[in-house]
Amino acid sequence: MNKVLEFKNISREFSLNNNTLRVLRDINFSINQKERVALIGPSGAGKTSFLHIAGLLEIPTNGEVYINNNLIDWNSDKILSQHRLNDIGFIFQFNNLLDDFNATENTAIPFILSGNSKKLSLEKAEFLLSEVGLKDRLKSFPNQLSGGEQQRVAIARSLINDPTIILADEPTGNLDNDSSMKVIEVFNNLVINHNCSLIIATHDMDVANLQDRILSIEELNS
């Protein structure tokens, strides 16, 4: 199967009070097309740094990252931006929806930024929102949506540029268990239907157990 993301000997270090803190140590990892991986581990163990490096938001101290078999050049802002926009979808615990834009507009923004017309972008956003069960909330603003509905908008937004991989950092961390499971069910079905891969960092083993593979950040670092 095709590898959509690969880490080769990835390490990440930070300087803290004149000491070196190593959060990732010589990690080798890959994920295939349409595979769903849960990343588990305690807070502070490196899950967020792992996702930030995978999403090209954070430069590793050592090692190489490949996306769709292309070696990432960390010195090229243009290449990094192209990959972030076209190959990677992001979902975070705090969904970062824009308060002054309705659900359709929030979803459409990445597609507009990719150079598509506003009309086409809004039409695609409405289609994706319908897929996540928000057909009746297209014109609702974030403060008119429940936490679970807001995360569904974030899911639709993450898919609008047809990414090859979605990175989700505790996407259900602010939701109750019932809402979490409903959101993850929608999420997993869409990942399959859109032929993309998923890495989801979570503390919730019910969420983790729904994925194809579970990885412990501590075991990756050992």
Side-chain angles (χ1 to χ4, degrees):
M1 296 186 70
N2 295 330
K3 294 178 181 178
V4 298
L5 172 72
E6 186 174 12
F7 283 4
K8 290 187 177 180
N9 300 313
I10 289 294
S11 297
R12 185 67 172 105
E13 298 176 351
F14 297 92
S15 294
L16 182 65
N17 298 326
N18 295 320
N19 293 314
T20 298
L21 175 65
R22 177 174 282 190
V23 294
L24 300 176
R25 182 182 299 107
D26 297 326
I27 286 181
N28 291 287
F29 164 83
S30 64
I31 182 171
N32 294 320
Q33 185 179 16
K34 298 177 69 173
E35 186 179 17
R36 296 168 299 157
V37 174
L39 186 64
I40 62 171
S43 297
K47 299 191 304 297
T48 296
S49 283
F50 183 103
L51 290 181
H52 282 184
I53 292 171
L56 311 183
L57 298 174
E58 192 173 309
I59 301 174
T61 307
N62 295 297
E64 297 176 337
V65 175
Y66 294 80
I67 292 182
N68 295 322
N69 296 314
N70 295 308
L71 175 63
I72 296 302
D73 179 1
W74 296 97
N75 295 313
S76 173
D77 290 337
K78 180 179 179 181
I79 290 175
L80 294 175
S81 296
Q82 286 175 341
H83 280 299
R84 289 190 206 110
L85 194 58
N86 299 317
D87 295 320
I88 302 166
F90 294 96
I91 302 176
F92 300 102
Q93 180 175 348
F94 303 101
N95 50 62
N96 300 318
L97 299 182
L98 299 176
D99 293 337
D100 295 335
F101 293 81
N102 64 34
T104 303
E105 292 165 338
N106 264 289
T107 303
I109 287 171
F111 205 57
I112 293 172
L113 292 176
S114 293
N116 297 286
S117 71
K118 183 177 180 180
K119 180 177 183 295
L120 178 61
S121 300
L122 293 175
E123 288 175 353
K124 187 171 184 180
E126 289 181 356
F127 172 78
L128 287 169
L129 288 169
S130 296
E131 279 198 303
V132 299
L134 294 178
K135 186 176 181 179
D136 297 329
R137 308 306 301 272
L138 300 178
K139 303 303 181 184
S140 297
F141 289 85
N143 64 0
Q144 298 171 320
L145 300 171
S146 69
E149 288 172 334
Q150 289 179 27
Q151 281 301 68
R152 290 183 185 218
V153 175
I155 290 169
R157 181 182 60 189
S158 76
L159 286 164
I160 197 161
N161 277 340
D162 301 310
T164 54
I165 188 166
I166 293 177
L167 307 171
D169 194 358
E170 299 286 356
T172 60
N174 288 327
L175 305 178
D176 60 54
N177 186 66
D178 185 53
S179 297
S180 294
M181 299 315 293
K182 288 179 180 177
V183 166
I184 291 301
E185 182 181 1
V186 170
F187 199 2
N188 285 350
N189 288 337
L190 282 175
V191 167
I192 293 170
N193 292 341
H194 286 263
N195 296 318
C196 59
S197 307
L198 168 67
I199 303 176
I200 180 169
T202 182
H203 285 98
D204 189 336
M205 289 309 299
D206 288 335
V207 170
N209 286 326
L210 292 174
Q211 311 313 316
D212 300 317
R213 180 160 51 114
I214 299 176
L215 288 179
S216 164
I217 191 71
E218 293 172 303
E219 291 178 4
L220 284 172
N221 267 323
S222 62

